[in-house]
């Protein structure tokens, strides 16, 4: 087997992913292409994503459809075949000639060119020639959708990243750092050195597939003047950018779709009059696109997402609005709306005849009649509350409705209107929710984890600290991750905190050089360059994601088999909780509730209690 030859080393990310370290990094693109072909042909059932990086592959799968052992056996067998067929020597699928206007022509396009030249002891023109003479290969795509890490930067051009990253880098900026060059596809923070600007779009939701580059592509850069840059930017810009086929050799051009006109919704509608910051639309997540740098996104607390839908009387609904702050105001138009709220919120309903008294909802549904407004006054002591609407109709992108700020998709703005053609019956939960009790409690949250691929870089004393000491949730948290505060976790050397970037996922615990761990959440980048000491298991990740700053947490190690068992128990508990949702807000022992039950079936003869299971 390849793994026995120490070409492949396997590391589990809890129970839903494998990280494959490939000692011969040059084989990564070919191995990835072989697996991707099999995946596209439907030969890898249960696989959600394949993510190549510089010296590794990430294999992400659905534990409900397959298991870690089966995935490993199938992947190893396929890579054996790829090696036997000489796949590792295959040519790149596509070759690109990318126009760039360097900073020696337009200084604002390459604001770091002069400094880079000075530090390297070269003239700016020599830096440009050396960079443009290089031949680069896309080794990974991550950090942002369409951000391609291109290996092959000449040794004489290599510098570490800037000490102070920029808060905003313009789209199209050509940059270098360490052994790589890249082009920023969209505005974002960045710490690389900017040498020039590319006029071509790199990622568009109008394209299929949406990314310009793919792992294994070969890239060469061609200097252009300011006039050529402007002409190309005008030609390929616009709301629906053209796919720049003329710059590509080999491969199949992307299909370009013109967005269809969406008629305004009719019938019952939900209108957002006011939107609190941090409000997003979420579902279970977006899968199949991590290889292009697109995160999985999805609800921070998937069990509450499902519960909100059940409370709205629409258990099949797989999406809800995630609210992290109060202040939103929603209005029903054109008909009544059935709404379910999972979590705790103080709400007020306003109508033509005045306002109903404000009240706290705890895992509860309600009906909003046409013309009424729902005011979210306060939220409970948790980071997210979910609001579902029966029959909600929303568009999707890349197979999901989940909001993603890097895709520029799904932001809820004042005036946003959604059709809702369902007529659910609002419900309430009549059984205790252990997750809600834990979030509202004060005891430290107990978070179980599987050791991560760089755990060995931390001395035994540091690993003992991780499992014996408490850490606190800090205010430095968003949907990408939450930073913890506690005893510093020091790797064996300061350099050991950094790694060659490799695939990552929600739940991975990164430890930067300051020793304070960061637990990645749903919007996490697809690849990262920090050592990962652990992966928090799925059932416990939502508990951490809901915790407010100051909450204490403790970590408990489990193995992969335990993680799988805990995940099965978690799913069973979710299904059981949803079955406890009662329609119409009936009290558990109210007369109405008792009339729903067939009590006669429960009558038995006391002379033979064994038939009733009694003792």
């Amino acid at each position: 087997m390849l793994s026995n030859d120490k070409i492949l080393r396997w590391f589990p990310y809890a129970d839903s992913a494998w990280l494959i370290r490939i000692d011969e990094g040059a084989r990564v693109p070919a191995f990835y292409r072989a697996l991707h072909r099999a995946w596209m042909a439907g030969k890898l059932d249960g696989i959600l994503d394949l993510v190549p990086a510089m010296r590794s592959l990430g294999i992400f799968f659905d534990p409900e459809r397959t298991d870690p052992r089966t995935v490993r056996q199938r992947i190893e067998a396929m890579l054996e075949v790829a090696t036997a067929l000489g796949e590792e020597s295959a040519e790149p699928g596509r070759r690109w000639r990318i126009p760039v206007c360097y900073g020696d022509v337009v200084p604002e396009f390459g604001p770091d060119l002069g400094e880079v030249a000075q530090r390297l002891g070269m003239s700016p023109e020599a830096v440009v020639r050396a960079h443009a003479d290089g031949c680069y290969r896309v080794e990974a795509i991550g950090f942002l959708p369409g951000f391609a890490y291109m290996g092959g930067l000449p040794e004489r051009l290599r510098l570490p990243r800037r000490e102070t990253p920029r808060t905003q880098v313009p789209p199209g900026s050509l940059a270098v750092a360490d052994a790589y060059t890249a082009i920023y596809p969209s505005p974002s923070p960045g710490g690389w050195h900017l040498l020039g600007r590319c006029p071509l779009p790199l990622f568009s939701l109008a394209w299929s597939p949406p990314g310009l580059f793919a792992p294994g592509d070969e890239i060469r850069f061609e200097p252009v003047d300011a006039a050529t840059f402007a002409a190309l930017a005008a030609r390929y810009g616009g709301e629906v950018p053209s796919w720049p086929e003329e710059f590509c050799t080999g491969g199949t051009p992307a299909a370009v779709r013109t967005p269809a006109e969406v008629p305004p919704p009719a019938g019952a509608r939900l209108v957002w009059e006011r939107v609190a910051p941090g409000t997003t639309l979420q579902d279970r997540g977006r899968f199949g696109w991590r290889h292009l740098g697109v995160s999985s996104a999805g609800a921070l607390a998937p069990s509450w997402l499902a519960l909100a839908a059940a409370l709205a009387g629409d258990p099949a609904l797989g999406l809800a609005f995630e609210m992290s702050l109060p202040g939103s105001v929603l209005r029903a138009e054109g008909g009544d709306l059935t709404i379910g709220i999972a979590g705790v919120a103080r709400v007020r309903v306003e109508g033509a005849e005045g306002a109903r008294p404000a009240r706290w909802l705890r895992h509860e549904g309600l009906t909003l009649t046409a013309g009424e407004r729902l005011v979210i006054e306060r939220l409970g002591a948790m980071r997210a509350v979910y609001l579902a609407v029966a029959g909600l109709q929303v568009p999707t992108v890349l197979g999901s409705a989940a909001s993603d700020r890097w895709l520029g998709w799904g932001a809820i703005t004042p005036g946003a209107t959604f059709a809702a053609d369902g007529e659910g019956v609002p419900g309430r939960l009549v059984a205790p929710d252990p997750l809600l009790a834990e979030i509202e409690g004060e005891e430290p949250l107990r978070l179980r984890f599987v050791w991560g691929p760089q755990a060995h870089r931390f001395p035994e004393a540091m690993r003992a600290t991780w499992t014996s000491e408490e850490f606190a949730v800090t205010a430095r948290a968003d949907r990408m991750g939450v930073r913890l505060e506690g005893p510093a976790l020091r790797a064996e050397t300061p350099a050991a905190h950094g790694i060659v970037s490799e695939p990552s996922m929600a739940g991975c615990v990164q430890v930067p050089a300051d020793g304070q761990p960061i637990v990645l959440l749903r919007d996490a980048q697809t690849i990262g360059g920090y050592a990962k000491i652990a992966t928090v298991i799925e059932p416990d990740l939502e508990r951490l994601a809901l915790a407010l700053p100051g909450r204490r947490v403790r970590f408990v190690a489990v193995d992969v088999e335990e993680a799988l068992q805990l995940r099965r128990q978690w799913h069973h508990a979710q299904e059981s909780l949803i079955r406890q949702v009662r329609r119409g807000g009936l009290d558990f022992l109210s007369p109405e509730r008792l009339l729903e039950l067939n009590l006669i079936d429960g009558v038995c003869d006391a002379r033979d209690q064994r038939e009733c299971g009694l003792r």
Side-chain angles (χ1 to χ4, degrees), residues 6 40 49 51 53 69 116 142 300 340 366 378 536 610 614:
K6 299 188 183 299
M40 291 293 98
D49 282 290
V51 181
R69 188 189 305 271
V116 167
L300 291 175
L366 73 158
R378 295 176 61 185
V536 176
R610 289 172 299 178
L614 303 177

Side-chain angles (χ1 to χ4, degrees), residues 467-607:
T467 56
S468 63
E469 299 293 331
E470 290 185 359
F471 293 80
V473 174
T474 71
R476 298 178 63 182
D478 57 19
R479 285 185 46 84
M480 293 187 71
V482 54
R483 191 177 184 93
L484 303 179
E485 185 177 63
L489 301 174
R490 301 296 184 189
E492 52 196 13
T493 65
H497 286 274
I499 60 172
V500 176
S501 291
E502 63 186 21
S504 58
M505 62 176 283
C508 284
V509 184
Q510 298 184 151
V511 185
D514 65 5
Q516 299 302 308
I518 301 169
V519 185
L520 301 183
L521 299 179
R522 302 298 174 187
D523 285 357
Q525 66 273 21
T526 56
I527 64 175
Y530 288 121
K532 295 177 287 296
I533 193 172
T535 306
V536 176
I537 68 173
E538 178 75 8
D540 292 353
L541 187 60
E542 64 179 0
R543 297 155 70 200
L544 174 63
L546 291 170
L548 291 178
R551 190 64 182 272
R552 311 294 295 182
V553 297
R554 300 184 70 96
F555 292 91
V556 179
V558 298
D559 60 25
V560 174
E561 288 300 321
E562 289 177 284
L564 284 167
Q565 180 62 29
L566 290 167
R567 190 187 189 106
R568 285 191 286 267
Q569 294 173 1
W570 176 59
H571 277 294
H572 178 75
Q574 287 184 45
E575 294 169 355
S576 176
L577 199 66
I578 288 175
R579 286 196 296 269
Q580 299 300 319
V581 173
R582 306 301 179 193
R583 302 297 166 214
L586 301 178
D587 292 332
F588 185 61
L589 292 179
S590 68
E592 295 88 348
R593 168 62 182 152
L594 293 174
L595 288 172
E596 287 184 341
L597 304 176
N598 184 357
L599 298 180
I600 300 300
D601 285 348
V603 174
C604 64
D605 191 335
R607 291 172 297 181

Side-chain angles (χ1 to χ4, degrees), residues 86-109:
E87 290 276 358
E88 68 271 18
S89 61
E91 288 297 314
R94 294 182 297 186
R95 289 170 292 282
W96 292 91
R97 176 179 52 86
I98 300 299
V100 172
C101 186
Y102 286 91
D104 60 336
V105 175
V106 179
E108 68 182 78
F109 286 176

Side-chain angles (χ1 to χ4, degrees), residues 26-67:
R27 293 191 175 193
V28 172
F31 282 171
Y32 166 72
R33 287 196 298 273
L35 294 178
H36 192 266
R37 282 196 296 270
W39 187 35
M40 291 293 98
K43 298 178 181 179
L44 288 174
D45 182 57
I47 301 298
L48 299 176
D49 282 290
L50 301 170
V51 181
M54 292 71 171
R55 300 176 190 169
S56 56
L57 279 169
I59 313 294
F60 301 86
F61 55 90
D62 182 355
E64 301 301 308
R65 296 165 56 193
T66 186
D67 62 85

Side-chain angles (χ1 to χ4, degrees), residues 307 311 362-365 427-433 436 576-582:
L307 182 59
L311 292 165
R362 296 174 59 84
H363 286 348
E364 195 169 341
R428 61 180 299 184
L429 188 64
V430 296
D433 176 10
L436 179 56
S576 176
L577 199 66
I578 288 175
R579 286 196 296 269
Q580 299 300 319
V581 173
R582 306 301 179 193

Side-chain angles (χ1 to χ4, degrees), residues 282-304:
Q282 297 297 341
D283 57 17
R284 286 283 183 171
R286 180 175 286 109
F287 303 104
W289 302 102
R290 288 186 188 180
H291 64 291
L292 295 182
V294 179
S295 78
S296 59
L300 291 175
S303 63
W304 282 9

Side-chain angles (χ1 to χ4, degrees), residues 81-156:
V81 172
T83 300
L85 294 176
E87 290 276 358
E88 68 271 18
S89 61
E91 288 297 314
R94 294 182 297 186
R95 289 170 292 282
W96 292 91
R97 176 179 52 86
I98 300 299
V100 172
C101 186
Y102 286 91
D104 60 336
V105 175
V106 179
E108 68 182 78
F109 286 176
D112 298 330
L113 178 59
E115 180 185 350
V116 167
Q118 184 177 18
R119 291 178 62 180
L120 296 175
M122 304 167 65
S123 69
E125 293 75 16
V127 170
V128 169
R129 285 196 301 272
H131 187 270
D133 285 344
C135 180
Y136 307 91
R137 176 168 291 187
V138 176
E139 296 186 7
I141 298 179
F143 172 57
L144 297 170
F147 186 97
Y149 291 80
M150 306 175 195
L153 186 69
E155 288 276 357
R156 62 185 182 279

